[in-house]
């Protein structure tokens, strides 16, 4: 796997690389599925590597996969780790920055923790996050807003509550960062130069709000609560800059 990664990553950043054993009827050996971010990179890799002895005695057979079962009708947004990976590769570590505008505790605003005057044993933690991404060399600035939530089975356990809270904050930040990056189009030219465009089709109502208005948000009605794999989000909150310290305070009543 390491040898394949070294050989194919020379053509461009890889989204994923997986190595599998051949089926029993195919004889001994392995095959790999390599996913590039760029179709152009994948095409160049296929033309260059097909039939070559890259790191072994027998030549490799490399072909472009044409069957994408299960993905024809599904366009998935990159998670924040993948977005940062692409931004670092094409823009450089100093070519972009991000900051958290607000990270608000919105738990309990819909009254889910109270029913007929009784506090439920099962609690729900929700955080709303707004993130701004800036590309100073291209004059592009975008925002992303997202909601992270999780249920706590034992609401009386303070350790479980703290752990869940940190996890939800991390989830909200990651989703908001990913949302902000969805509005950025990276146009990679054949000569290696990169142009940046703002994707207005992904524009949201929150993009026109001021920072003070964003910090005063209480309700979330325009956000998609699609399933999100928390385990894929490995970044920590310290990777982004805060205007203030991480807030754990309650929302203002107004």
């Amino acid at each position: 796997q390491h040898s394949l990664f070294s050989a194919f990553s020379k053509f461009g950043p890889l989204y994923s690389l997986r190595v599998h054993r051949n089926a029993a009827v195919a004889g001994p050996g392995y095959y790999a599925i390599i996913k590039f971010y760029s179709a152009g990179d994948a095409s160049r890799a296929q033309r260059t590597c097909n039939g070559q002895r890259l790191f072994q005695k027998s030549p490799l057979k490399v072909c472009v996969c044409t069957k994408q079962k299960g993905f024809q009708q599904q366009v998935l947004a990159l998670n924040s780790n993948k977005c940062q990976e692409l931004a670092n590769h094409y823009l450089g570590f100093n070519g972009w920055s991000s900051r958290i505008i607000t990270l608000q505790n919105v738990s309990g605003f819909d009254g889910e923790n109270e029913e007929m005057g009784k506090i439920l044993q099962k609690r729900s933690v929700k955080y709303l996050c707004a993130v701004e991404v800036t590309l100073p060399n291209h004059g592009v600035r975008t925002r992303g807003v997202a909601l992270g939530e999780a249920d706590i089975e034992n609401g009386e356990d303070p350790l479980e509550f703290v752990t869940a809270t940190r996890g939800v904050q991390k989830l909200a930040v990651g989703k908001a960062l990913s949302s902000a990056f969805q509005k950025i189009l990276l146009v990679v030219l054949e000569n290696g130069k990169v142009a940046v465009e703002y994707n207005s089709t992904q524009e949201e109502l929150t993009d026109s709000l001021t920072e003070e208005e964003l910090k005063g948000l209480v309700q979330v009605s325009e956000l998609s609560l699609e399933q999100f794999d928390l385990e894929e989000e490995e970044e920590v909150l310290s990777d982004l800059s805060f205007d203030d310290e991480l807030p754990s305070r309650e929302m203002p009543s107004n």
Side-chain angles (χ1 to χ4, degrees):
Q1 184 166 339
H2 175 75
S3 298
L4 284 171
F5 184 89
S6 298
F8 284 91
S9 61
K10 296 175 182 178
F11 298 94
L14 304 182
Y15 175 81
S16 66
L17 189 156
R18 296 179 181 179
V19 180
H20 306 273
R21 287 184 179 274
N22 285 342
V25 295
Y30 296 83
Y31 70 94
I33 298 176
I34 302 171
K35 294 184 180 180
F36 286 84
Y37 289 100
S38 166
D41 292 344
S43 180
R44 286 191 296 272
Q46 189 273 331
R47 293 195 303 267
T48 304
C49 298
N50 185 36
Q52 301 299 313
R53 296 175 174 86
L54 299 180
F55 52 85
Q56 73 295 317
K57 295 180 180 180
S58 58
L60 282 178
K61 179 180 179 181
V62 182
C63 59
V64 175
C65 178
T66 57
K67 294 183 179 181
Q68 298 287 335
K69 290 185 178 180
F71 289 95
Q72 294 92 336
Q73 305 296 328
Q74 196 174 21
V75 179
L76 300 177
L78 295 177
N79 67 34
S80 61
N81 279 343
K82 298 295 186 181
C83 292
Q84 292 177 78
E85 181 181 314
L86 273 181
N88 290 336
H89 179 83
Y90 287 114
L91 304 174
F93 290 96
N94 296 323
W96 67 280
S97 63
S98 61
R99 67 186 181 94
I100 296 175
I101 297 175
T102 184
L103 183 61
Q104 302 174 352
N105 183 358
V106 294
S107 306
F109 276 90
D110 54 3
E112 81 259 1
N113 288 334
E114 293 189 19
E115 184 178 23
M116 301 299 291
K118 297 181 180 180
I119 303 297
L120 299 178
Q121 183 72 12
K122 188 175 182 179
R123 300 175 62 183
S124 178
V125 179
K126 295 181 181 180
Y127 270 83
L128 177 68
C129 181
V131 167
E132 183 176 77
V133 172
T134 304
L135 281 59
N137 297 333
H138 299 274
V140 174
R141 189 186 303 269
T142 71
R143 290 174 177 174
V145 179
L147 182 72
E149 62 178 321
D151 290 330
I152 304 176
E153 295 297 332
N154 184 5
E156 301 301 321
D157 185 347
L159 179 59
E160 184 177 353
F161 177 78
V162 171
T163 302
T165 297
R166 294 297 295 177
V168 169
Q169 290 173 342
K170 179 179 174 181
L171 175 60
V173 171
K175 292 175 69 176
L177 185 62
S178 175
S179 175
F181 270 113
Q182 303 316 308
K183 303 166 189 175
I184 297 174
L185 293 175
L186 298 179
V187 183
V188 183
L189 307 178
E190 286 292 332
N191 59 8
K193 292 185 178 180
V194 178
V196 177
E197 296 287 342
Y198 178 76
N199 185 6
S200 59
T201 61
Q202 299 292 328
E203 196 167 19
E204 300 171 326
L205 294 175
T206 51
D207 293 335
S208 60
L209 298 178
T210 66
E211 288 195 16
E212 290 303 318
E213 288 172 328
L214 280 173
K215 292 178 181 180
L217 285 178
V218 175
Q219 289 185 322
V220 181
S221 58
E222 298 294 333
L223 297 179
S224 172
L225 302 182
E226 70 276 11
Q227 293 296 321
F228 193 86
D229 188 357
L230 182 58
E231 294 181 356
E232 291 186 2
E233 289 299 319
E234 297 177 354
E235 79 278 0
V236 295
L237 292 174
S238 59
D239 289 341
L240 296 97
S241 62
F242 284 80
D243 287 343
D244 304 297
E245 292 185 0
L246 185 65
S248 57
R249 59 185 182 275
E250 295 295 325
M251 290 284 295
S253 58
N254 60 345

